[in-house]
Amino acid sequence: MSTDFDRIFLNQSKFSGRFRIADSGLGWKSANTGGSAANQAKQPFLLPATELSTVQWSRGCRGLELKINTKNQGVVQLDGFAPDDFNLIKNDFHRRFNVQVEPKEHSLRGWNWGKTDLARNEMVFALNGKPAFEIPYARINNTNLTSKNEVAIEFNIQDENYQPAGDELVEMRFYVPGTVINESEDGTAADQDNVKKEGENGLKREDADGVKPEGEEKEIDMVREEKTAAEAFHEELKEKADIGEVSGDSIVSFQDVFFATPRGRYDIDIYKNSIRLRGKTYEYKLQHRQIQRIVSLPKADDIHHLVVLSIEPPLRQGQTTYPFLVLQFQKDEDTEVQLNLEDEDFEANYKDKLRKQYDAKTHIVISHVLKGLTGRRVIVPGEYKSKYDQCAVSCSYKANEGYLYPLDNAFFFLTKPTLYIPFIDVSSVNISRAGQASTSSRTFDLEVALRGNRGTTTFANISKEEQQLLEQFLKSKNLRVKNEDKEAQERLQSALGSDSEDVDINMGSAAEDEESADEEFRASSEDDDVAEEYNSDASSSGDEEESRPSKKAKID
């Protein structure tokens, strides 16, 4: 006969369920009948009795918690028990499975320093022998050395089976001071051989030069490798958490690949469900389901080729997020690789998706492998060609220079920042001059207005030679294109009435006033001229007045 408990939460789940203890093992089933179809069809959780390793009883979020360390399935947390349930659970586990339920008290001091213990299934942060918190290895997605004495741990928020209620912690950082001495048997033996050889060389110098060499103890101290405690903790945590799987399990690897974003060179290990990027300073891990788009584009310099991965949620490095990974390859670089898959596994799962062996250009190989494993199609340049027969035009976004790729369904700007604007999100496109008050009439701006009042994005300093081809391409994609220059010219022509050059311009009442003023002025001037030419009295009177001497003043 089984023992049942209601309103129990599995692994901090949103909904409670029924927990059952039977002779064959443990079981939990959600009591929630609503929600999505995926939640309704969710299978109950079953744990065989053979998987039980240790069991702890402690305080939890919703009451008392039963924490089970399994042999192969990590940590299982069952929360929501009452204090009176302890004796019943303890007796059941002892009678059915011969396993002791150990009560565990947590440290409630609230201190942020202590000691870490990397146990079998979780990392325990303890203070004075009492755990303050535990982090299951299954929840750790990645870890990096952010500085000499600091280790960052990123948590997995993409696990479909893990749906906690409320907010989630996405990153935690540990400050680990001090140094440790690396003592490995193989390294020590090799170091002793090197010291022995150096000692023999020293004895020969003593025989030849009569100079006594320095003691071997000093040379042994120089050979001993010393590293920071943070680095040692980082390496041990990676091994315990099995981050990125084992290198030998990778399907294919690419060495020393240059990344424009995040900048640096990384080794790429591609696994069945994830990808691991290993650089000199940082390492990243992403799941295949995080890859939303794969874009393969030739760079405008005709030397390199770019492969862009759109990531959601983006990779994180501290406060910096990377929603796009930009890989750069030599255009003519070839590679020859063979997939690390058994013939049976390849025939059953990957025959229609991948090739067993590749011998082609590197960017084509990596694009095809990612396409087969993620199920995402590879986006390539479409119909657009610039005046110089390229699939991109040079421009600038804010203070950053780059290239704008008009694809069949979207705008794509590379490289920093990388922008992806689908045509379905575009309300209108406005073409305007780059600078009206300056002499930069050889360039124009492309202003992209987004739907839903989400603002505009402006790509500036595009060559005027590309305007007509770009405008024709955008209109062929049924986008609303506005040309400010053409509209201004049309308004000017309509205002000036430029249909006929001989037609007088109608200036309204102001024109009538000017004509009347001119007629009066011309009439009066013509009368004066006629009077002067045909009126003898006018001229004689004028001469007489000029020749007549002036009267002298009368003198009394």
Side-chain angles (χ1 to χ4, degrees):
M1 184 176 179
S2 62
T3 305
D4 293 353
F5 298 89
D6 291 327
R7 297 186 60 81
I8 303 301
F9 297 84
L10 174 67
N11 293 333
Q12 302 178 11
S13 60
K14 295 181 180 179
F15 308 106
S16 62
R18 171 171 291 187
F19 172 61
R20 174 172 294 179
I21 305 176
D23 292 338
S24 59
L26 309 178
W28 180 89
K29 184 177 181 180
S30 175
N32 182 39
T33 57
S36 62
N39 289 333
Q40 296 179 10
K42 191 174 182 180
Q43 296 295 327
F45 173 78
L46 300 176
L47 184 67
T50 56
E51 278 290 320
L52 297 178
S53 178
T54 61
V55 182
Q56 295 179 0
W57 177 268
S58 61
R59 288 190 176 274
C61 299
R62 301 178 176 92
L64 278 300
E65 179 186 65
L66 194 66
K67 178 182 290 186
I68 304 171
N69 284 285
T70 65
K71 296 178 180 179
N72 300 304
Q73 299 186 26
V75 178
V76 178
Q77 294 173 288
L78 297 161
D79 194 4
F81 293 98
D84 299 337
D85 297 335
F86 174 69
N87 292 328
L88 180 59
I89 292 175
K90 179 180 179 182
N91 295 332
D92 250 20
F93 270 79
H94 180 68
R95 178 173 56 87
R96 297 176 189 271
F97 315 121
N98 195 23
V99 174
Q100 297 293 333
V101 179
E102 178 185 2
K104 198 76 173 180
E105 293 185 6
H106 282 77
S107 176
L108 304 178
R109 288 179 175 269
W111 292 2
N112 64 340
W113 65 88
K115 293 184 179 181
T116 55
D117 180 20
L118 299 179
R120 177 186 179 90
N121 294 318
E122 61 184 359
M123 186 195 76
V124 181
F125 187 84
L127 176 63
N128 295 332
K130 295 182 179 180
F133 59 85
E134 302 93 353
I135 302 176
Y137 295 141
R139 305 298 321 134
I140 299 177
N141 183 56
N142 195 19
T143 176
N144 278 307
L145 274 171
T146 56
S147 66
K148 184 178 180 180
N149 299 109
E150 191 176 68
V151 180
I153 297 176
E154 299 176 16
F155 298 106
N156 185 11
I157 59 175
Q158 287 295 303
D159 191 354
E160 297 177 355
N161 298 322
Y162 183 76
Q163 297 179 349
D167 297 331
E168 288 188 64
L169 187 66
V170 297
E171 187 181 80
M172 181 181 291
R173 295 197 178 193
F174 293 90
Y175 176 77
V176 188
T179 58
V180 296
I181 298 175
N182 187 17
E183 296 180 353
S184 60
E185 295 181 0
D186 296 338
T188 303
D191 293 342
Q192 289 177 355
D193 293 340
N194 293 333
V195 171
K196 183 177 180 181
K197 292 179 181 179
E198 291 177 1
E200 292 175 355
N201 293 334
L203 290 175
K204 291 180 181 180
R205 289 195 300 270
E206 179 186 10
D207 295 338
D209 302 333
V211 179
K212 185 177 180 180
E214 296 181 359
E216 293 184 6
E217 295 180 357
K218 184 176 181 181
E219 295 182 14
I220 293 176
D221 292 338
M222 294 173 60
V223 170
R224 297 174 68 183
E225 183 181 357
E226 191 175 274
K227 62 174 64 175
T228 63
E231 186 177 356
F233 172 73
H234 169 64
E235 293 176 356
E236 187 178 0
L237 181 61
K238 283 200 304 180
E239 182 180 354
K240 288 283 189 178
D242 195 22
I243 295 174
E245 290 126 319
V246 184
S247 178
D249 296 336
S250 62
I251 296 178
V252 63
S253 297
F254 299 90
Q255 306 298 323
D256 200 30
V257 178
F258 178 74
F259 278 66
T261 306
R263 193 169 184 84
R265 292 190 174 273
Y266 294 85
D267 295 337
I268 304 176
D269 297 328
I270 302 178
Y271 301 89
K272 295 182 179 180
N273 298 312
S274 63
I275 300 174
R276 184 181 179 187
L277 309 178
R278 294 182 289 109
K280 293 182 179 180
T281 306
Y282 299 109
E283 293 187 9
Y284 302 96
K285 178 185 176 183
L286 65 148
Q287 303 294 327
H288 287 170
R289 60 176 174 270
Q290 290 181 251
I291 300 177
Q292 304 298 316
R293 300 178 188 86
I294 305 172
V295 187
S296 180
L297 301 171
K299 204 170 182 180
D301 58 4
D302 291 331
I303 300 176
H304 300 95
H305 197 94
L306 301 176
V307 175
V308 185
L309 306 181
S310 176
I311 309 297
E312 180 62 37
L315 294 184
R316 291 174 51 87
Q317 181 56 54
Q319 299 297 325
T320 307
T321 58
Y322 297 104
F324 294 95
L325 303 183
V326 183
L327 291 69
Q328 181 173 294
F329 302 90
Q330 293 288 337
K331 183 179 180 181
D332 299 327
E333 178 185 353
D334 294 333
T335 187
E336 183 177 356
V337 296
Q338 185 171 0
L339 301 186
N340 185 21
L341 291 171
E342 299 293 337
D343 293 338
E344 298 178 358
D345 189 15
F346 177 79
E347 292 292 333
N349 301 317
Y350 303 101
K351 181 179 179 180
D352 299 331
K353 303 177 182 178
L354 303 174
R355 300 176 186 174
K356 185 66 175 177
Q357 188 172 358
Y358 289 91
D359 186 6
K361 298 186 183 300
T362 306
H363 64 86
I364 296 178
V365 175
I366 195 169
S367 299
H368 193 272
V369 171
L370 292 176
K371 175 185 176 182
L373 293 176
T374 63
R376 305 290 184 182
R377 70 183 186 91
V378 179
I379 301 174
V380 296
E383 304 172 356
Y384 175 78
K385 293 293 182 182
S386 68
K387 183 178 180 181
Y388 301 99
D389 200 28
Q390 293 182 342
C391 55
V393 294
S394 176
C395 65
S396 61
Y397 172 72
K398 295 182 179 179
N400 305 294
E401 295 184 357
Y403 292 93
L404 179 64
Y405 291 82
L407 305 178
D408 284 343
N409 297 315
F411 289 111
F412 210 83
F413 178 79
L414 292 170
T415 58
K416 291 184 179 181
T418 303
L419 300 177
Y420 181 82
I421 306 176
F423 287 161
I424 194 173
D425 295 338
V426 176
S427 174
S428 62
V429 179
N430 185 25
I431 296 177
S432 60
R433 288 187 297 177
Q436 297 179 355
S438 62
T439 59
S440 57
S441 59
R442 297 181 180 178
T443 61
F444 68 94
D445 290 356
L446 191 72
E447 185 180 15
V448 181
L450 302 179
R451 298 180 184 272
N453 295 326
R454 289 185 293 168
T456 59
T457 303
T458 303
F459 302 102
N461 300 328
I462 305 176
S463 176
K464 204 79 170 181
E465 300 173 345
E466 308 290 349
Q467 178 176 340
Q468 184 177 0
L469 294 174
L470 187 59
E471 188 173 351
Q472 291 176 356
F473 172 78
L474 296 179
K475 288 182 178 179
S476 68
K477 298 301 178 181
N478 298 323
L479 294 177
R480 294 174 54 193
V481 181
K482 300 179 181 179
N483 193 322
E484 288 187 357
D485 292 344
K486 288 185 178 180
E487 292 180 358
Q489 291 177 2
E490 291 175 358
R491 288 196 300 267
L492 182 62
Q493 290 177 0
S494 62
L496 297 177
S498 58
D499 296 337
S500 176
E501 297 179 358
D502 298 330
V503 178
D504 294 335
I505 300 174
N506 185 11
M507 301 299 291
S509 60
E512 296 175 358
D513 294 339
E514 290 180 3
E515 290 178 359
S516 59
D518 292 342
E519 289 174 357
E520 293 176 359
F521 174 78
R522 290 173 182 172
S524 60
S525 61
E526 291 176 356
D527 294 340
D528 295 339
D529 295 339
V530 171
E532 291 181 357
E533 185 174 358
Y534 298 100
N535 190 356
S536 57
D537 296 336
S539 58
S540 60
S541 61
D543 295 338
E544 290 177 357
E545 291 178 357
E546 291 179 0
S547 59
R548 182 181 301 169
S550 59
K551 294 182 179 181
K552 295 183 179 180
K554 184 178 181 180
I555 301 174
D556 296 336

